[in-house]
Structure formats: structure tokens, C-alpha cells
Amino acid sequence: MTEPPLDGRTPRHRIRALVWEVRTRVSSQASLIVLAVIAATLAWAIAGGLVHDHSPFFAPIAAVIALNASGGERGANALRLLTGVFIGILAGELALLVTDRNAAAMALATAVAMTAAAAINAERIVIGQAAGSAILTTIFVGAASPGIDRLVDALIGAGVALVFSQLFFPARLVAMLRRIEEDALNEMADMLALVGRSLEEEGDASSEQVVNRLGGLSRPMAALSRARESSKSTIRLSTIRWGDPQPVLDEDEVIERLILLGESCLFLSRTTTSMGVEERRELAPIVSGMADVLATLADDLSSRQAREQAVEQALMAARTYGGGAPDDDPVTHATHLAVEMVATDIMVFAGIRFDEVEDVIQGEVEDPRVPHPPGEPWLPWLRWRPRRGLLGRFSGRRPKTQ
């Protein structure tokens, strides 16, 4: 009789899991693929109709590359693309004037294009695009058509990408930020769930698992910081600035609270590794409860009910564990402080004012009021936002996966 695999999964289960993972990856990029195909086809048709007697391949390439970025970065990506293409075409034309040998022209054009892009302190994507445009200009095009035609192609492709990304299919930045917030909350919940399980076990192996897991939170926390920075540039460079940027600014504040919550979770996880056996067992249900709270929040960031439930559970955990005793050792004192910090940051993230949280924990405020989460704008460049009855239809929430 064949023994089962060590991980308990048969080859059939592995294949099904791999197929599901591949399908998830493709479905997450399906809208971008469809948009890029339509934009490339349209750019090819427009460029071919405006500029005759040449193959306008720069236009569809420019459209696809400009759209190949996150929704909030597509406008800036199109400008970077144009910069790189402009430098590359000029470098290619210059190289063709100097020499008509393909290999020498290609080498010269690539060197000049990359040097010029580096000289203006361009980003790496601009340097690469400049080199690619120079290569295409010298090898595949040569002197078959004037450089102005290729520049017009690039302008058409980038223009189509800008129209698609800024007017027809603008980035719903608030929805994008909330997806990043969900990922960070889920990562925090997974980390605290692992900590809660390790507290119920004995030995150094469980503490080592927790230490190894702490680094896993760095990825979503870095994503939060990048999202916060990119949202500011998106407001300046996209059609969001024509409408009401306040929802994006409000979401930036939410991300700041979430970063503080992540730091509190790290502090709590770190302190548990130095506790004694009895204290670990006492703390285990508290930490597991905090993990459930974060999972509840991540399940639906647009739900006031979920936030109220999270506040109630966090408050119960903080009150159950208490504030500690004056004669506690430093590790125990730090752990009590960490539990209170996590509970505080959860309540602030849910919408309770920071100056009211201490009164809530102390019981001076029996029924804390959790405000409704702000709605997501339907179209970024419109000041009108949907009523709460339409929020579920236009909020862009992802379907839950099992």
C-alpha cells in the first residue's frame, strides 16, 4: 500500500491547488489584459490611419507599456514612457546619421540613449525604455521612415493609454488602497493566530516559529507605505484632482493608523517569546482573539457592523487581560502594555477618536460610537458619490475566496 505524502496532500490535490492559484493570478490581471489589447488595437488603427507608408508598431507598444502599471500609476507611467521613447528615438536617429551599419548604430544608439536618460536622473524604467526605443529605431526600422513618424506613433499610443486610464477607466484609488489594507490586516491576523497557537505549546520550537514569522509582516507594511506615497502623486497627476480628493486623503490617514497597528502587533508578538509557561497559556486566548478581530475587520472594510464587532472584541480582550500589577516583571508589564496598544490601535482604526479610547477601555464610556466608514467614489473625477444603498454595487469589493 502506497504511503501518503508527508504533507498530507496527494499529487491530484497539488495539481488542483496549482490550477486554482494560476486561475486566481490570471483573473486578477484579466481586466488589465483586456484593456491593453483594446488600447493596442486602437492605437495601431489610429497611427496607421494618420501616418501612411510605415508600420506603426511603436503605437501599440507604447499603449501597452503605459497601461502596464497599477491603476494609480498609469498616468505617470505614460509620461515616463514618452520620455524614454523620445530619448531613444533621438538617439537612434543620431546613430543612423553617424553610421549606416546596423550593429554599430545599435550599439551607439543604446549607449547614447541610456547615458542621456541617466544624465537627467530618470527612473530605471525610463532608462530601459530609452534603450529599447533606440534598438527598435536602428535595427528594425533603420532609415525606412523619418524619426518624426515614430515619435508620432509613440505619442498616439501614450495618448490612447492616457484616455483609457484617466477618462474611460480611471483608477478607483480608494478601492485599491482598501485592498492593500485588507492584505495587511489578513497578514497581521495570520501572524497573531500563529502566535496564539505557539503560546499553547511548550518548547523553543514554537518561539522560533514566531520569530521567523515576524518578518512576514514586512511585505504588507512596505506595500502600505508605498501605497500612501503613490496616492499623493496620483492626486497630482490624474483626473482625481478635478473632483474631490478628500476620500483619498482620508484613506491615507487610515493607512497611517494601520501602520501603527502593525507595529503594535509586532511588539505584542515579540514580547510573548520571552514569557513563562503559565503566562503564555493565560495570554494564548487573548492573542487568538485579537487575530479574530483583525480577520473580522479585513472581511469587509466598508461594514460598520464589522467595525463595531471588532471594537467590542478588542475591548473585551483588553479588559480581560487587564493592566497588570505594579510588581510585575518587565516582560509581563510589556506584554500587558502590548495588548492594550493593539486594542487601542484596533479601536482607532475602526473609527473611535484616539482621545476617547482610554475612557472606553477604563469603562467610562459604555457604548462607544463607531462611525460609518466613508463610501468609495464611483468615478474619481466626479464629486458625486453613491448612497449607501448603492455602495455594495460600486464599491469594487473582491469576491471572497474559500
Side-chain angles (χ1 to χ4, degrees):
M1 184 175 180
T2 305
E3 294 183 1
L6 294 178
D7 61 358
R9 299 174 65 189
T10 64
R12 181 179 178 182
H13 288 156
R14 291 184 186 140
I15 293 174
R16 291 179 62 184
L18 179 61
V19 170
W20 177 265
E21 184 177 355
V22 170
R23 187 171 68 176
T24 301
R25 291 174 184 170
V26 173
S27 63
S28 66
Q29 301 293 330
S31 59
L32 172 61
I33 294 172
V34 173
L35 189 63
V37 170
I38 296 175
T41 305
L42 184 60
W44 173 275
I46 294 175
L50 291 180
V51 184
H52 299 285
D53 300 327
H54 83 299
S55 182
F57 58 84
F58 264 110
I61 290 176
V64 171
I65 294 178
L67 290 173
N68 188 30
S70 61
E73 290 289 323
R74 288 172 185 167
N77 206 44
L79 297 179
R80 299 187 194 105
L81 165 78
L82 280 177
T83 303
V85 169
F86 182 76
I87 294 173
I89 291 175
L90 288 182
E93 291 296 322
L94 175 63
L96 290 173
L97 289 176
V98 174
T99 176
D100 57 357
R101 298 177 60 183
N102 287 344
M106 185 273 293
L108 177 61
T110 303
V112 171
M114 297 185 72
T115 302
I120 63 173
N121 197 27
E123 299 181 25
R124 297 187 69 88
I125 186 175
V126 177
I127 297 175
Q129 186 60 46
S133 299
I135 293 171
L136 289 174
T137 300
T138 53
I139 291 184
F140 293 103
V141 180
S145 61
I148 189 64
D149 290 351
R150 294 188 282 280
L151 185 57
V152 169
D153 291 344
L155 288 171
I156 291 173
V160 170
L162 283 172
V163 170
F164 271 56
S165 63
Q166 302 299 312
L167 294 178
F168 295 158
F169 305 97
R172 302 188 64 242
L173 193 55
V174 174
M176 293 167 52
L177 293 176
R178 289 192 178 175
R179 284 195 290 270
I180 298 174
E181 293 166 18
E182 288 177 7
D183 292 339
L185 282 169
N186 281 320
E187 187 66 32
M188 294 178 202
D190 292 342
M191 182 182 69
L192 290 187
L194 174 63
V195 172
R197 292 193 298 270
S198 70
L199 291 174
E200 298 174 351
E201 303 173 357
E202 297 183 8
D204 296 333
S206 59
S207 297
E208 185 177 350
Q209 279 185 329
V210 173
V211 173
N212 293 336
R213 189 67 175 80
L214 295 180
L217 193 57
S218 60
R219 179 187 57 80
M221 299 304 290
L224 284 173
S225 299
R226 288 195 302 269
R228 189 182 178 199
E229 291 301 320
S230 66
S231 66
K232 298 175 182 177
S233 62
T234 301
I235 291 178
R236 295 194 305 270
L237 300 175
S238 71
T239 50
I240 293 176
R241 71 181 186 276
W242 300 348
D244 184 7
Q246 192 58 44
V248 180
L249 299 177
D250 291 341
E251 212 63 29
D252 283 344
E253 294 183 8
V254 172
I255 290 179
E256 183 178 357
R257 299 173 199 158
L258 194 55
I259 292 174
L260 294 176
L261 174 57
E263 294 175 351
S264 299
C265 291
L266 285 172
F267 180 42
L268 174 60
S269 302
R270 177 63 185 86
T271 57
T272 61
T273 60
S274 304
M275 299 181 67
V277 175
E278 294 300 325
E279 292 175 316
R280 289 165 62 90
R281 290 175 178 170
E282 179 186 1
L283 185 62
I286 303 297
V287 175
S288 298
M290 293 293 189
D292 294 337
V293 171
L294 297 178
T296 299
L297 280 173
D299 187 58
D300 189 356
L301 288 174
S302 300
S303 170
R304 181 185 182 187
Q305 182 179 0
R307 298 192 178 210
E308 289 177 338
Q309 183 180 352
V311 168
E312 182 179 350
Q313 292 176 339
L315 187 57
M316 183 181 301
R319 289 176 177 175
T320 300
Y321 196 58
D327 57 346
D328 283 339
D329 60 87
V331 173
T332 303
H333 178 74
T335 306
H336 283 277
L337 177 61
V339 171
E340 185 173 331
M341 286 176 58
V342 173
T344 297
D345 289 336
I346 287 175
M347 287 187 279
V348 172
F349 178 78
I352 296 179
R353 292 172 52 186
F354 181 78
D355 55 2
E356 296 179 354
V357 171
E358 185 175 356
D359 294 337
V360 173
I361 294 178
Q362 298 298 328
E364 298 180 11
V365 178
E366 293 294 338
D367 188 18
R369 181 181 178 276
V370 178
H372 283 286
E376 298 175 8
W378 182 37
L379 289 177
W381 34 265
L382 293 181
R383 292 185 179 274
W384 177 84
R385 291 195 291 277
R387 299 186 303 272
R388 288 197 56 79
L390 298 178
L391 182 59
R393 184 180 305 175
F394 296 117
S395 62
R397 292 198 299 269
R398 294 175 298 177
K400 297 180 177 62
T401 56
Q402 300 297 328

